[in-house]
Structure formats: structure tokens, C-alpha cells
Amino acid sequence: MFKIDYKISYDEFVKTIYHHARKYEIKVADPHKQCVTVNALITKAKEEESKRHYANAYYYVNKCLLFFDKEENPVNFTQSDPSTKKIFSEALDLEAKLKRKELPIEYNAMIEEIDRREPERRRIVAQQLESDSSDVNGNKEFSESVDVHLTRQQQLLSSESNSVDELLQRLRWTSVPDMRYVTQRTVFNRPPGPPTHDIISASELSPVPVYPTPPDRNARPGLVSHSNYTACVLNQSSAPLSVQRRGIVNLGNTCYMNSVLQVLNSTQLGQYFLTDDYVSHLTTIKGKLTRLINSFSFVIRELNRADCNFSVSASPFKAALGDYYEGLQNSSQQDANEFLRVLLDGIHSALNMNERNRVTFPEIDNSKGTDDELARRYWAQYYQKNSSIIVDYCAFQERSAIVCPSCNHQSRSFNVSLSLEIPIPQTSSKVSLDDCFATYCREEILDNASMYKCPNCHQKVNARKQLLFYSAPPVLFITLKRFRCYGDFTSASKVNSTVFFSKTLSIAPYMCSMFSKTKYNLVGIVNHQGNMHGGHYTADAVGADGVWCHFSDERVTKADVADNNLAYILCYVR
């Protein structure tokens, strides 16, 4: 976990390990349990030392010594078990041995490895930042990297063409939960699940139509006011940074990862991993998922350290990510949106307390019941097998309605999503985020190959389909679909339209329910500069002091105005 990716002093290396061992500790109040804990920690420290993992051994021995620190742990448990005195003595001896002799060995080996691979890392990073593609066209290794990147983009883009078929499949096989098995649980240190909360009663507002009137298909969508088409100024004042910000080392084409991590650090998810509360929700104490989430927590904590200003090493997280998801294992250029979805899924899987539930449900009749009734059934079914911090913060429901023009039969589904991908309308080279939302929620006709077979009249018809939001999450990730493919992948291209957005957002016009909390504040932007063949990712993110910074891997500067031409992923929070 404590691998370094660039040269820092030995004292800084030791301080980093000590910081994580001493600052983040699960409190154990019971003296007997403390005895068991310190015994497990000293055993783990010895095990790591025997494997020559001296940094890890130093970490565990310091966590062990923390229990003997009267200021940190006022509970006097040393007299309750005679063996604890022996453990204390062993821990002191091991700590001194590691710091004096063994830890420098591992540190020097890391420095030698950095010297060995630094020229190659610099070459890859410089290649990634190269704006003139003619300089790299003759580079065989670069071409192979591009081929891998293009293949991945092709896989992502081609999946969009199957969205209607997948929707119809979900409508056919979705089932309703048996409410006898739906239980209410209190989850501590986490917000309540999103979909059925903050719904205003019908007595407070006039009811929403079952099927909202679609916008004018000939009108430009989302044209609310001219303020939609103005640049987003991130910092209003010229005040200097009051909180130190840290960059993340580019390990070679890892700018996609670094940018998303900086944005996540500005959300409630980042704050959640600054404590050890997540450990109690882990579904397993070993394995790929545990390594992924522990290394992610390590990066977030390093980004928030105020006692140093050098860049963060994320190589343990990158290694754990590659073990979890093979598609992100190599050093080729990757898609930031794909990485975000993989990471959210990984964190959810690691902390999903309902993963092992084996409950079967009867089928849902999508044509009967009010929107609220159907939405609650869908949510109950989903929540029976999905309960994690990711669900609490990111999950929301979309209402998909399909109406048969022959018999007016209506099928509705309320599926759960963790992030949002919206198209960029091609009505102009300059559009607003409202335009994108209106295009996403605009009614469409299922015709030609997408004709809908009505389950009521059993005819294939040109049905009407519309997506609207039923609920809104505390953290909303919006990906602008800047990469498009028309038929053959050789025609794939990037949409370079200017997309205007502001630091505030309301999705109330696109709701089909009376969900009340629909206003958001912008906290992060992932930018992409380049084309389908490659490029460079950067991030703009707001800190705890309210000041926005621009992150380009290790380089951190104060942000000015958002780049509406490069914005790819927007992160809003309530």
C-alpha cells in the first residue's frame, strides 16, 4: 500500500506510514477486545516483516502501539491480560528495528525502481500530452495503444444501439417484491435511500400528469434563458488558496483515473472514506474488492493531508483496480466515464450488505398502479439485493414509459441508475446543459427496427417512449456523450460542441414525481482534451474552503473559468 511513485525523502516516507497508522483507527472500547486486537496487529506486523513488506509491518506495529498510548486510548487494559505487556515490549522492539534497519532497505529499493522506470514514464506522459498527432503516427507502441483505446471505445459505443432492446427485456421480466419480505433497516453513518424520500404530498402540490406532455419536437430544447449560454466562472475572487491541494502522479496514461479521483474527493463519497466507518460494512476482509476499496480510501486520505505538499502515489490503487477489472489493467489510454462506472460498481460490491439476499419476487404488472406504487415496488426489489454507500448517495430512479398508439396501453418501468449519460443535441455548435436534459427526456418514436410489440393488442406499433426522472440522488454524475459512432466504427468521432452549464442546477423540469430536492451545486468537472484516438484528462474541483483548483496530474493551479468545450463529466451535489 505504501509504494511511492516519485522521489521523496525517507522522513516523508516514514511520516506517511505513521500518519495513516495513527490517524485512522477503529475505536475498540472493550478491554478484552482490545487485547485480542493488539495481538492480531502484532501478529500481522511480524507476518509482513517475514515477507519483507517492511512498510506494511511498520504500519501494523504503529497501529498496535496506538492502543498503548494513554492520550489516544485512555482505557487501561494492560493489567487485564499479562500477555499484553509482552506484546507492548515486542511492538517497541519491532518498531525500532524496522525504522533503524529494515524500512530503509525497502525505501532504497523503491527509489532505485523509480530511477529505472522514470524515463519511460516521462516518455508516455509527454506522448499523452502531445497535441500534434503527426509526431506519434510513426510510433508503433503508440499505435498499439491507440488500437486498444479504439477497441474499448467501440465496445462502449456499440452497446448504446441495444438500449431499446434491453429496455423491452426489462419490461417483460421485471417482477414485484412480496412485501412480507421487505424490511426497514436503519443504516448508521449513511443517508437514507433516495427514491421514496422527500416526496411532497398531493395536498401540497397539484398532481403531475401520468404521462407528461412532451416538448415541441420542432422547438429548440431547453432554451430557458440567455443565462444558460454564459461561461461558468469557478472562482469569483482572487483570494489565494487557504487549503493545500495535492496532485496525483501520472503513472503513464493514468490521467483518466487521476481526474476522476480529484472530483470524487470533493463529494460526500470522498468525505465518507476519511473515516474507518466503511470497514464495518465490508462484505469480506480479503480479496480483490477489499484491496480496491482500502487502496481507494488510502488515496482519498492522502489527498486530504495538510502536512505535506508533494503529489500522491496511487500505484497501489491502480494495481488493485487492474486486478478487479481486467479492462483497466494495462497502461493504455482509457475512458474516464468507464473508470467512474467501474469504480462505483466496485465500491458498491465491496460494501453491499444485501448482496447475499436470495429473495424471489412475483412479476410486476407495469400497466397497473400509480407511478408512486410502481416506483416503490421497483425500489423494494432493487434494495433487497443492493444496499451500500453508493446506493445511498448515487442511486436514482428513472421512469420509462412506452405508450401504444393503437390501444393507448402504457407500460412503465422505474429502473435504478447510479450515474447519468446524456446526449449533446446537434442543433447548434453551442448548447446548454438544459438542452442536453431536454433532448434526453424528449419523447421519441420507436419505429423501423425498434418497433414495439404491444402486450395488450399484440401488434407491432410505432410506440411513444419517454424517459423522466422519478427521484434525484444526493450526488449526481452527468456524463456528456462526446463520443459517437454511426454504424461502422471507422466513422466514430468526438462531439466538440460547446456545452454551457452553471454552478447550480435544477432538474425539476424533468421530473415526473413530486420529489422535492432537485437543486444541485457543481463540485467537480472532468475535462477531455483530444480526439477519439487519445488525449489528456484534467479536472476542476472545489475544496473545503470553497476555492476551485485545476488538476493536471501532479500540477495543481487555481481554476478560473470552466472550459465548456472540454467538459466531459459533471458532478453535482445537493
Side-chain angles (χ1 to χ4, degrees), residues 500-517:
F500 290 97
F501 51 89
S502 66
K503 293 169 71 174
T504 59
L505 170 69
S506 173
I507 63 171
Y510 315 105
M511 301 291 296
C512 66
S513 69
M514 299 174 187
F515 196 89
S516 60
K517 295 183 179 180

Side-chain angles (χ1 to χ4, degrees), residues 24-165:
Y24 306 106
E25 179 64 46
I26 302 175
K27 301 300 181 183
V28 182
D30 182 78
H32 175 70
K33 290 183 178 180
Q34 288 194 4
C35 294
V36 174
T37 302
V38 295
N39 184 63
L41 287 170
I42 193 64
T43 301
K44 183 65 175 177
K46 292 177 180 178
E47 177 185 332
E48 292 294 323
E49 184 199 22
S50 67
K51 296 178 181 178
R52 297 185 179 181
H53 299 162
Y54 301 127
N56 290 347
Y58 189 71
Y59 169 77
Y60 285 111
V61 77
N62 270 282
K63 290 185 82 71
C64 177
L65 288 171
L66 183 65
F67 284 90
F68 296 92
D69 190 326
K70 299 303 179 184
E71 293 184 2
E72 297 289 341
N73 182 32
V75 179
N76 186 357
F77 69 98
T78 56
Q79 302 301 324
S80 61
D81 188 341
S83 63
T84 57
K85 291 184 177 181
K86 180 181 178 182
I87 292 175
F88 180 52
S89 177
E90 290 178 348
L92 288 175
D93 292 342
L94 181 57
E95 192 267 349
K97 177 185 176 184
L98 286 165
K99 191 173 182 180
R100 182 183 68 254
K101 181 180 179 181
E102 296 176 332
L103 203 55
I105 295 175
E106 185 167 5
Y107 168 79
N108 291 329
M110 289 182 182
I111 295 298
E112 291 176 2
E113 176 65 16
I114 290 172
D115 289 336
R116 185 189 66 79
R117 59 181 171 82
E118 182 62 14
E120 177 65 12
R121 187 188 77 87
R122 287 184 176 275
R123 184 189 69 81
I124 294 176
V125 173
Q127 189 179 76
Q128 179 181 341
L129 294 172
E130 179 60 61
S131 58
D132 185 1
S133 60
S134 62
D135 292 343
V136 294
N137 284 339
N139 188 315
K140 180 180 179 181
E141 183 177 341
F142 177 79
S143 299
E144 293 175 351
S145 175
V146 168
D147 290 341
V148 173
H149 179 65
L150 290 175
T151 301
R152 176 62 46 74
Q153 288 288 354
Q154 182 179 15
Q155 294 170 349
L156 294 173
L157 292 170
S158 61
S159 65
E160 296 179 9
S161 62
N162 300 322
S163 59
V164 174
D165 293 336

Side-chain angles (χ1 to χ4, degrees), residues 411-432:
S411 293
R412 290 160 293 160
S413 65
F414 292 84
N415 294 299
V416 179
S417 300
L418 300 179
S419 61
L420 181 64
E421 299 181 17
I422 59 177
I424 301 175
Q426 298 300 289
T427 55
S428 170
S429 60
K430 295 182 179 181
V431 298
S432 71

Side-chain angles (χ1 to χ4, degrees), residues 394 472 479 481 503:
C394 302
T479 299
K481 289 187 176 181
K503 293 169 71 174

Side-chain angles (χ1 to χ4, degrees), residues 9 16 42 53 162 180 336 354 404 500:
S9 68
T16 296
I42 193 64
H53 299 162
N162 300 322
R180 292 175 298 174
N354 289 353
C404 174
F500 290 97

Side-chain angles (χ1 to χ4, degrees), residues 44 47 51 282-294 350 356:
K44 183 65 175 177
E47 177 185 332
K51 296 178 181 178
L282 283 171
T283 56
T284 178
I285 60 173
K286 295 182 179 180
K288 298 178 181 180
L289 284 173
T290 302
R291 290 195 298 273
L292 175 69
I293 201 166
N294 284 337
R356 297 182 180 180

